[in-house]
Amino acid sequence: MSFVIPKNLEAELDELATHYPVKRSASLMFLHALQEHFGFISNDAAEWTAGKLGLQPIHVYELITFYPMFRQEPIGRTQVKVCRTLSCALAGAAGIREHFCRKLGLDPHAHVPQTTPDGRFTVEFVECLAACGSAPVVLVNESLHECVGKGQADEILARGK
Amino acid sequence: MDSNHDKQIQSLLCYRYTIGQCGTGEKIERKSIESSIAMPQELKLILKHADEPGYGPDIGCYLKHGGYETLKKALKAPGRELPDGKKLSAQEAFRGDVRTSGLRGRGGAGFSAGLKWSFVDRSSGKPIYLICNADESEPGTFKDRQILHKDPHQLIEGMVLSCWANDVKLAYIYIRGEFPEGARLLNRALAEAREKEFLGKNILGTGYDLEIWVHRGAGAYICGEETGLIESLEGKRAYPRIKPPYFPAVLGLYLCPTIVNNVETLCHVKHIAAMGPAEFARLGTPNNTGTRIVSLSGDVQHPGYFEVEVGKVTIGELIFHENFGRGLKPGRQLKAVIPGGSSSKVLKAGEVFSLKRKGADGQMIPVDVPMLDLPYDFDSLQSAGTMSGSGAVIVMDDSRSMVDALANLAEFYAHESCGQCTPCREGALWMAKGLHRLTHGGGRKEDAAYLTHIAQNIQGRTICAFGEAAAWPVLSFVEKFWEEFQARGEADAAARTEAGSGANSNLKPYSYA
Amino acid sequence: MPAIATAAPATSVPPPVETVTVKVNGRTVVVPKTMPDWQGKPQLTTMLQAARLGGVEIPHYCYHDKLPVVGNCRMCLVEFGTPVMNSATRKPVLNEDGTPKIARSVLPYEPGTPRGAITCATPISPGMEIYADSPATKQMREAVLEFLLINHPLDCPICDQAGECKLQEYSVQHGQATSEFVETKVHKPKAVDLGPRIMLDDERCILCTRCIRFTKDIAGDDALGIVNRGSYNSVAAYPGRKFDNNYSLNTVDICPVGALTSKDFRFKMRVWFLKETRSLCTSCGTGCNIVIGSREDTIHRFEPRDNAAVNSSWMCDSGRLNYKWIGRPDRLRDVGVRGERSTWSAALRELHAALAQAPMGSVAIIAGARQTTEELYLLKRLAERFGAATDSVPRTGAADGFLVAADRNCNTQGARLTGIWSGTMGAQIPRIAEGIRTGKVRTLLVFGEDVTRYGIGEELLASLETLVVSDILPSATTRAAHYLLPGCAAAEKRGTFVNVKGRLQKFLKAVEAPGDARPEWEFLSDLVEGGVSRKVPATLEGVFNQMVREIPAFSGLEWARIGDTGAAVPL
Ligand SMILES: Cc1cc2nc3c(=O)[nH]c(=O)nc-3n(C[C@H](O)[C@H](O)[C@H](O)COP(=O)(O)O)c2cc1C
Ligand code: SF4
Ligand code: SF4
Ligand code: SF4
Ligand code: FES
Ligand code: FES
């Protein structure tokens, strides 16, 4: 399968690159847009980005492996990011993550991101999401869920595509 | 109202003496205390409208509430003549105002904003950049989120003013990747501002051009550190730069002079312009002027964000007062407070600090101040050996294990170290592994000293202040709760001896993959 | 007080205009205010440089003279002091004894704890005191070493770098005997095939980024980077991309530990068995300075040797690996006379006699521009005796804009300055061929070239009365020789080359030549002595010193006074 960037996405990226006096600066924004479109950053996407921004592929690879939000593999359609850090931990975040895992048949003790075999959900721990006042919090794709109890967790799972 | 008021007084009084005994139970309406005198309460400058019903992030709403009026006025302001006859341009005058306002950075270090601006190399001939630090990633902090999501135009107005004052033509808002909604709102707000000529070419017909773009991070705490942020904005791994020579004010973004300020700091710039520096400086306390938004979380009844005058509220009030935390969970005692984001040194319930205070004769005299009576400001917390950092207060009650809490934080720092310099790269994970062992049955009695040894070899030896951020929680937790760490290790050791094995074989090795 | 001027190559430090006085371990040192940075641009002198000028080497990993400063290893942290200034008068505050009062560096938030500065990046200031051996400094060093070692595999017994590993060396010098580390180590990829010539062991890597900076900033090929984060950081090339630029092996040299290894050298030899000889690369006209590592007359590696005027600290991979032919089994080892094995004395006696009868104008000489200047000089003397036409064979390729020169002969300029060729190199060869064809040229001397590939075919050679050939490896020309005189590779003899920029550099002998092979200058001296009336000195020094008296470009030079980095000669 060859790697195709839709014209409108490329136009959007070209516009983004104009925001910076140095093209390389647009790297993160490119990767965000590509990940949004493809679901993850394939090597093709990384190489395309490098070519577009006049970089070596290793430059892009350095970023993908440094910034945790970027994925090199496809992940679940519903991404459940449970905050792990102190305020959320005090409010029971570990239990919430375990709850997600058990409900989805994932290993409740594994620390790493896990995706359900049907590709619907990915559950992972992330660090402080800057919503500690309403701990525990869970970022589901792009929407933040606050003061999440088991009931709300179940709702998230029910809504997940 | 009376009974509520009594409860108020009671809680105010009792927390100072019988820690954790009050603040339990029923909720008290906030309105009920507004009338009481000398009652610590919020003073909303930045968050004045944010939570009003119907207030939205669109420009119409902002304009309705007087938005951009300050900018219009400032851009048309004439220069100023000093008593000695020296003429200042309007920009120079405003930079002076920010300095005299006493505004200190709200991002973490509490550095004078005006002084930082004065370091900018204006003679290099290179463009000057301004970056708004909206990375908000210090654990416990959730104040910038409120501004970004609820009142983005306030930030933009503050930024345009700051850029104008510093001859900045191109500025960025570096927003953490986990705020996708915030980024969208900002982009919309910037487009609205452009349309209304508050941004872009020839702003409000003054000939001043400025562009602001949103740049998204992607899940790395170290992007909050200003030089790491700059590297990240340059499209690289967020490796903080060595100082010297890379002071951002001289060699920042693209090796040009660069100002990095926090979201809240830049909003304050707008208020300084609106109310004048003297009026701003009347808020708060000397050298700790203005208001700041405190993020309160952890074991309190009523966590949340509270905008208060700096130094006018104590830590105790933040935790126990009905206007703020409303005390601990029923039956709980206070154990520890992290006062300025997870990187600040922990405060232990019952600690007493000797602070210098101005006596009646104007002389500075040492005064014993219990921890809960520490005014929540930059200087007092520094005198108490910690910092107010990002303004994030995390409260822990007596149900909490300090060992577990520290293990949680150590894991954060191990995960977030950029790995550039040796002590932090190796030490942060080492501490996390040690604490993981200690919290998973593999403790040793020497672990308290072991952890201190590692942390001491990190602080002061690293490229950036992340080294301190990672070391300080360990140093302070272990020092202040030494017995607890000691006991945990000894218990494990004893259990092992009993089981007849020196090593804990079923302990899973600690790792992130 | 130490002499400043000798501390760095005199060519790269302009005479100091302004100096700064600091103290290094209690000794006063006056150093230039600025010194060249990695690109040679003047920058404020750093604490590390100042200490070096004061005779104190501060241990360091990430810092390298020729690379941009990154300050990431923290090995060079040192406690320091600065004069206390009176804030009103801006004058130093004095102690009771009149000495300036010094404030030791402390942590701003913990005034009881010493603070270190990274000496590789911190500029000195007047009156600064550098405590390179204080207890606090030693503690900082120990701590950095401990950090570096906790996740290090400690497989020194099987590590190639053992013996020249800075981690090993510093641990012995500056480390503590034990580490407190009781956790499980981080595991990383062990045998990463980075490229055709390089293996990487990520567990041994201390992430100093020297290799990354080298390939980006020096070789101009941004091929390496760091992937992952924090303690899991690892050096890598992009998946599927080879780290294969023609300078890749320099990263092996500068890697302070055994993380990067040369496939060529890997596991071959413990470095402490190697004899080191200063020599030159002969693979192009740049003349990179090298060190030959050999043991028992076998060459095991070439490594670059610093020369700011030629190759800085680097060399190309193709030059570096171009040594194996020296040990080839088919090397010419025997003196031959008309296809029969002979001895030097017999062959030279006969050759004398043959040459003595050669009429003026009947001799031609083709001398490779890879012979030493001394040999070319001697050949020229022979040529003058017979009025012989002389020439060399041009050998060119693409210049790479960095070190590799278009001229692939290592002594083109030496051949020109000695008069072997002029005008256009190789222009005489067709004329010599024609001379042979017409019978005018009856005697041909060929040194280090296979002329059958350059227009003097085997049938022409066969028509000669006398064909004298000296070479190292067999060729069609050596097979046709009446007199076959086995010569030496540069590694097997001494001599000089003049590089494309006119730098005359000498090289020394690393290994013995095989069999009866002899340095060409030796038997050329014999030949010249037999054929020319003047005495040729019996030593190479003597030949050289005689040569410089006769060749104006070399005037004033003297063998003994040519340093390790050579001397510029006008071209
Ligand atoms: C490890 C680390 C993380 C930081 N994170 C943030 C952050 O998330 N947001 C922020 O505004 N400042 C952060 N800072 C502080 C910034 O480096 C910088 O001082 C600040 O943005 C300056 O703005 P201010 O002067 O307005 O406070 C961090 C500092 C360190 C050392
Ligand atoms: S202290 Fe930590 S975060 Fe800062 S540069 Fe060093 S490794 Fe990176
Ligand atoms: S491989 Fe060697 S040179 Fe490269 S970063 Fe690692 S230790 Fe440094
Ligand atoms: S550049 Fe030329 S002289 Fe230098 S190592 Fe390569 S081939 Fe040898
Ligand atoms: S700790 Fe979970 S949002 Fe901050
Ligand atoms: S040598 Fe690595 S920090 Fe100075």
Side-chain angles (χ1 to χ4, degrees):
Chain A
M1 199 177 66
S2 70
F3 178 75
V4 187
I5 299 272
K7 278 275 155 291
N8 55 344
L9 178 59
E10 183 159 5
E12 184 192 318
L13 293 174
D14 286 339
E15 196 277 328
L16 271 176
T18 66
H19 295 188
Y20 306 92
V22 177
K23 273 197 295 186
R24 183 175 186 167
S25 280
S27 305
L28 292 191
M29 297 299 275
F30 268 49
L31 294 175
H32 275 301
L34 291 170
Q35 178 158 291
E36 217 159 274
H37 182 80
F38 293 104
F40 69 107
I41 316 266
S42 62
N43 282 1
D44 283 338
E47 285 157 37
W48 184 87
T49 303
K52 196 84 184 166
L53 297 177
L55 303 173
Q56 294 300 316
I58 183 69
H59 295 140
V60 180
Y61 198 59
E62 280 191 312
L63 303 181
I64 300 168
T65 58
F66 182 87
Y67 295 98
M69 282 180 77
F70 297 131
R71 312 276 173 184
Q72 288 175 266
E73 305 283 335
I75 50 150
R77 288 187 293 280
T78 302
Q79 213 181 329
V80 181
K81 294 180 171 180
V82 183
C83 173
R84 188 209 63 83
T85 320
L86 187 57
S87 303
C88 287
L90 294 176
I96 293 299
R97 196 194 65 102
E98 269 191 49
H99 183 77
F100 278 120
C101 288
R102 281 190 211 285
K103 281 271 167 136
L104 293 169
L106 302 169
D107 178 357
H109 304 294
H111 207 105
V112 296
Q114 300 180 76
T115 301
T116 54
D118 60 6
R120 285 177 67 209
F121 292 95
T122 295
V123 178
E124 68 177 310
F125 255 160
V126 294
E127 300 300 342
C128 178
L129 288 168
C132 331
S134 39
V137 300
V138 179
L139 190 64
V140 181
N141 292 339
E142 299 209 333
S143 62
L144 185 75
H145 295 251
E146 300 173 276
C147 302
V148 178
K150 290 193 178 153
Q152 207 183 331
D154 291 341
E155 276 170 40
I156 290 168
L157 292 183
R159 272 199 304 270
K161 284 184 279 292
Chain B
M1 134 112 206
D2 265 7
S3 73
N4 278 345
H5 190 75
D6 283 347
K7 263 220 155 67
Q8 262 307 310
I9 302 286
Q10 187 202 352
S11 73
L12 257 177
L13 291 174
C14 73
Y15 75 77
R16 294 178 195 220
Y17 306 105
T18 51
I19 293 153
Q21 292 292 301
C22 55
T24 61
E26 79 203 60
K27 288 197 175 171
I28 297 158
E29 284 296 294
R30 264 209 229 189
K31 277 203 191 95
S32 66
I33 50 167
E34 262 168 21
S35 54
S36 54
I37 356 114
M39 213 41 92
Q41 54 190 321
E42 287 199 77
L43 193 145
K44 295 185 176 184
L45 210 54
I46 292 178
L47 298 179
K48 186 160 179 205
H49 304 299
D51 290 314
E52 281 170 9
Y55 190 84
D58 57 292
I59 199 163
C61 184
Y62 189 63
L63 291 172
K64 237 187 286 162
H65 288 76
Y68 291 111
E69 287 306 320
T70 308
L71 177 69
K72 286 185 201 159
K73 228 171 71 200
L75 291 193
K76 289 195 192 99
R80 200 180 294 163
E81 199 173 321
L82 294 183
D84 63 3
K86 200 173 156 231
K87 286 202 177 63
L88 297 180
S89 69
Q91 284 114 307
E92 281 174 307
F94 183 58
R95 294 203 298 267
D97 285 353
V98 171
R99 182 123 180 224
T100 50
S101 76
L103 174 63
R104 294 172 67 167
R106 305 299 196 236
F111 195 80
S112 157
L115 193 56
K116 185 188 277 185
W117 290 9
S118 75
F119 295 152
V120 169
D121 181 357
R122 296 176 200 281
S123 60
S124 67
K126 298 188 215 167
I128 300 168
Y129 295 107
L130 183 141
I131 307 170
C132 168
N133 189 341
D135 193 58
E136 187 151 74
S137 42
E138 174 76 14
T141 320
F142 47 98
K143 65 191 179 72
D144 297 338
R145 167 191 279 281
Q146 315 309 328
I147 301 166
L148 297 165
H149 288 86
K150 297 170 184 168
D151 206 0
H153 280 288
Q154 184 179 175
L155 171 63
I156 295 168
E157 186 172 6
M159 277 185 79
V160 178
L161 278 162
S162 303
C163 290
W164 163 78
N166 287 289
D167 302 310
V168 172
K169 304 276 190 294
L170 185 53
Y172 295 93
I173 302 172
Y174 189 108
I175 185 169
R176 64 178 300 187
E178 297 89 335
F179 284 174
E181 186 58 25
R184 255 192 304 276
L185 288 169
L186 277 174
N187 272 324
R188 206 185 69 196
L190 288 167
E192 289 170 338
R194 252 172 237 130
E195 197 183 323
K196 293 263 194 271
E197 289 185 23
F198 299 127
L199 197 61
K201 289 247 170 294
N202 192 16
I203 293 173
L204 296 171
T206 57
Y208 172 56
D209 303 338
L210 168 69
E211 202 40 89
I212 300 178
W213 301 114
V214 173
H215 185 92
R216 292 182 66 200
Y221 167 62
I222 197 57
C223 294
E225 197 280 340
E226 56 188 8
T227 58
L229 183 155
I230 288 171
E231 287 284 308
S232 180
L233 185 44
E234 288 186 2
K236 303 175 192 156
R237 292 158 71 88
Y239 279 4
R241 295 174 173 177
I242 50 169
K243 288 182 210 134
Y246 300 107
F247 294 102
V250 182
L251 289 172
L253 185 62
Y254 311 125
L255 299 187
C256 297
T258 301
I259 295 167
V260 181
N261 274 130
N262 172 258
V263 172
E264 191 186 345
T265 313
L266 290 167
C267 289
H268 275 311
V269 169
K270 186 214 121 151
H271 294 284
I272 292 165
M275 65 206 284
E279 197 60 29
F280 184 87
R282 260 194 286 282
L283 297 176
T285 50
N287 204 37
N288 297 271
T289 58
T291 63
R292 81 176 298 182
I293 308 170
V294 179
S295 311
L296 180 65
S297 68
D299 296 327
V300 287
Q301 296 271 19
H302 181 234
Y305 49 92
F306 306 99
E307 186 171 358
V308 296
E309 286 185 71
V310 186
K312 289 278 175 74
V313 179
T314 65
I315 291 186
E317 285 161 346
L318 283 170
I319 298 171
F320 292 102
H321 196 275
E322 295 303 321
N323 282 355
F324 308 111
R326 298 185 195 162
L328 304 171
K329 307 264 162 70
R332 287 287 151 216
Q333 306 257 340
L334 184 69
K335 186 167 185 181
V337 181
I338 298 174
S342 64
S343 310
S344 60
K345 287 190 172 175
V346 71
L347 297 173
K348 185 179 180 177
E351 269 190 282
V352 177
F353 302 97
S354 176
L355 265 53
K356 291 248 174 358
R357 285 282 162 78
K358 223 183 225 148
D361 55 355
Q363 293 283 75
M364 297 304 270
I365 46 164
V367 181
D368 279 351
V369 181
M371 184 268 271
L372 288 176
D373 290 350
L374 285 170
Y376 197 74
D377 64 21
F378 296 99
D379 295 338
S380 303
L381 291 187
Q382 198 183 331
S383 307
T386 181
M387 60 178 182
S388 62
S390 59
V393 178
I394 306 173
V395 180
M396 283 173 285
D397 68 27
D398 60 351
S399 69
R400 305 299 182 180
S401 151
M402 289 298 112
V403 184
D404 289 336
L406 183 60
N408 179 285
L409 290 180
E411 196 169 331
F412 171 81
Y413 291 103
H415 186 248
E416 299 301 333
S417 164
C418 83
Q420 188 185 192
C421 67
T422 308
C424 168
R425 175 182 69 237
E426 305 297 338
L429 183 60
W430 186 2
M431 294 190 299
K433 281 179 173 174
L435 279 155
H436 179 83
R437 185 170 44 69
L438 187 54
T439 48
H440 288 73
R444 306 170 306 158
K445 51 181 184 302
E446 57 268 48
D447 279 339
Y450 176 79
L451 290 165
T452 306
H453 163 83
I454 306 167
Q456 271 168 347
N457 285 336
I458 301 173
Q459 71 160 351
R461 317 269 175 96
T462 56
I463 290 179
C464 81
F466 184 102
E468 276 77 18
W472 284 348
V474 173
L475 289 172
S476 58
F477 271 69
V478 175
E479 185 198 320
K480 294 184 182 183
F481 299 92
W482 182 266
E483 289 78 19
E484 195 176 333
F485 282 82
Q486 197 77 356
R488 187 81 162 248
E490 274 165 12
D492 282 358
R496 276 199 304 276
T497 316
E498 208 157 288
S501 106
N504 190 317
S505 52
N506 59 10
L507 184 63
K508 266 203 282 177
Y510 171 92
S511 86
Y512 297 97
Chain C
M1 213 176 286
I4 295 149
T6 57
T11 43
S12 59
V13 183
V17 263
E18 245 184 292
T19 59
V20 175
T21 303
V22 298
K23 271 190 179 175
V24 179
N25 291 353
R27 280 188 30 215
T28 301
V29 186
V30 182
V31 302
K33 189 175 175 191
T34 64
M35 285 185 64
D37 67 0
W38 67 284
Q39 290 171 303
K41 285 193 216 131
Q43 297 286 352
L44 294 178
T45 300
T46 63
M47 294 168 73
L48 187 138
Q49 289 170 322
R52 212 174 243 181
L53 296 184
V56 175
E57 185 69 10
I58 292 173
H60 56 271
Y61 287 120
C62 65
Y63 175 77
H64 187 285
D65 289 356
K66 307 287 165 43
L67 298 174
V69 175
V70 287
N72 63 28
C73 75
R74 321 305 283 178
M75 188 61 196
C76 70
L77 279 170
V78 159
E79 187 192 14
F80 64 101
T82 42
V84 180
M85 291 292 182
N86 181 314
S87 54
T89 62
R90 300 248 109 248
K91 292 245 169 65
V93 178
L94 300 182
N95 290 317
E96 271 164 25
D97 63 358
T99 55
K101 190 173 169 145
I102 301 292
R104 288 210 167 209
S105 51
V106 292
L107 295 179
Y109 46 82
E110 207 177 282
T113 307
R115 176 170 75 92
I118 46 166
T119 56
C120 63
T122 312
I124 49 166
S125 56
M128 180 184 254
E129 300 198 345
I130 298 167
Y131 312 123
D133 285 328
S134 72
T137 297
K138 287 184 175 160
Q139 197 281 330
M140 292 178 208
R141 245 172 236 163
E142 272 174 19
V144 169
L145 279 169
E146 185 180 21
F147 282 133
L148 286 173
L149 288 170
I150 57 171
N151 287 310
H152 199 83
L154 296 182
D155 46 13
C156 310
I158 55 154
C159 178
D160 266 336
Q161 198 79 358
E164 35 185 42
C165 172
K166 289 281 176 199
L167 194 56
Q168 208 182 34
E169 182 186 324
Y170 289 164
S171 300
V172 173
Q173 288 171 10
H174 308 290
Q176 339 157 267
T178 57
S179 166
E180 304 209 351
F181 187 76
V182 295
E183 322 302 334
T184 45
K185 286 181 191 264
V186 172
H187 288 294
K188 294 186 196 172
K190 287 288 288 178
V192 184
D193 191 346
L194 267 192
R197 294 175 288 283
I198 306 232
M199 296 293 279
L200 164 67
D201 182 333
D202 268 312
E203 285 191 350
R204 289 184 190 157
C205 170
I206 60 164
L207 296 158
C208 70
T209 72
R210 279 183 174 194
C211 54
I212 299 172
R213 283 174 280 152
F214 170 82
T215 192
K216 169 175 185 281
D217 297 303
I218 306 293
D221 171 27
D222 225 342
L224 299 178
I226 290 186
V227 298
N228 302 330
R229 194 163 78 174
S231 228
Y232 302 93
N233 270 0
S234 309
V235 167
Y238 182 73
R241 279 277 174 108
K242 291 283 165 224
F243 176 47
D244 58 0
N245 70 54
N246 194 25
Y247 292 91
S248 66
L249 284 166
N250 291 290
T251 60
V252 176
D253 301 334
I254 59 174
C255 178
V257 293
L260 292 171
T261 44
S262 153
K263 287 185 186 172
D264 181 55
F265 188 70
R266 216 167 131 82
F267 305 131
K268 246 171 57 175
M269 178 62 56
R270 292 315 230 164
V271 292
W272 50 81
F273 293 131
L274 289 181
K275 179 179 103 179
E276 301 203 319
T277 308
R278 289 187 302 267
S279 188
L280 299 171
C281 173
T282 59
S283 298
C284 86
T286 299
C288 291
N289 292 207
I290 63 170
V291 171
I292 299 179
S294 63
R295 188 182 180 204
E296 288 168 359
D297 291 333
T298 305
I299 295 175
H300 288 285
R301 67 179 181 189
F302 284 0
E303 283 188 299
R305 172 167 62 89
D306 278 15
N307 188 341
V310 178
N311 55 308
S312 187
S313 307
W314 325 116
M315 75 186 294
C316 75
D317 289 2
S318 40
R320 182 193 301 253
L321 295 177
N322 191 15
Y323 68 87
K324 297 211 169 110
W325 61 272
I326 298 171
R328 250 163 71 171
D330 59 344
R331 276 284 301 268
L332 299 172
R333 330 163 46 95
D334 300 333
V335 182
V337 176
R338 294 176 208 286
E340 297 295 320
R341 181 172 176 187
S342 181
T343 62
W344 281 106
S345 55
L348 288 177
R349 206 177 319 120
E350 205 181 306
L351 185 52
H352 273 305
L355 288 179
Q357 282 160 26
M360 280 295 279
S362 72
V363 179
I365 298 179
I366 295 175
R370 297 187 292 191
Q371 302 296 141
T372 71
T373 322
E374 297 71 29
E375 290 158 359
L376 295 163
Y377 158 75
L378 291 168
L379 281 163
K380 183 64 184 176
R381 292 221 59 78
L382 265 186
E384 281 165 359
R385 158 76 180 74
F386 299 110
T390 60
D391 208 342
S392 295
V393 177
R395 195 173 266 108
T396 54
D400 70 353
F402 180 27
L403 290 179
V404 179
D407 183 354
R408 298 296 159 82
N409 281 319
C410 57
N411 205 12
T412 294
Q413 297 306 326
R416 192 176 60 81
L417 293 170
T418 51
I420 294 292
W421 66 276
S422 60
T424 308
M425 184 194 279
Q428 294 301 321
I429 293 177
R431 281 184 213 141
I432 293 171
E434 186 58 20
I436 300 172
R437 203 167 288 122
T438 60
K440 192 167 164 273
V441 172
R442 309 295 305 140
T443 300
L444 180 66
L445 279 72
V446 182
F447 272 67
E449 295 290 0
D450 178 5
V451 291
T452 62
R453 293 162 63 197
Y454 304 102
I456 305 181
E458 277 151 278
E459 66 295 349
L460 275 188
L461 293 180
S463 71
L464 285 163
E465 223 159 70
T466 309
L467 173 61
V468 184
V469 182
S470 171
D471 214 325
I472 303 173
L473 293 168
S475 70
T477 305
T478 64
R479 280 189 285 274
H482 303 127
Y483 297 92
L484 180 58
L485 310 173
C488 289
E492 296 159 347
K493 63 188 176 188
R494 295 187 298 158
T496 65
F497 294 129
V498 182
N499 82 357
V500 285
K501 291 193 179 138
R503 195 153 194 93
L504 180 138
Q505 310 188 89
K506 65 181 183 188
F507 58 90
L508 305 179
K509 174 176 160 179
V511 291
E512 286 299 337
D516 290 342
R518 272 173 77 187
E520 294 88 318
W521 69 266
E522 283 185 26
F523 57 80
L524 276 170
S525 301
D526 287 351
L527 280 182
V528 169
E529 216 160 294
V532 192
S533 50
R534 199 157 38 121
K535 220 162 165 48
V536 176
T539 63
L540 181 73
E541 290 83 342
V543 175
F544 180 85
N545 292 339
Q546 183 178 74
M547 170 180 80
V548 301
R549 280 194 294 278
E550 292 177 24
I551 295 176
F554 298 157
S555 74
L557 296 177
E558 201 184 309
W559 176 269
R561 286 187 20 216
I562 297 171
D564 286 342
T565 58
V569 298
L571 287 182

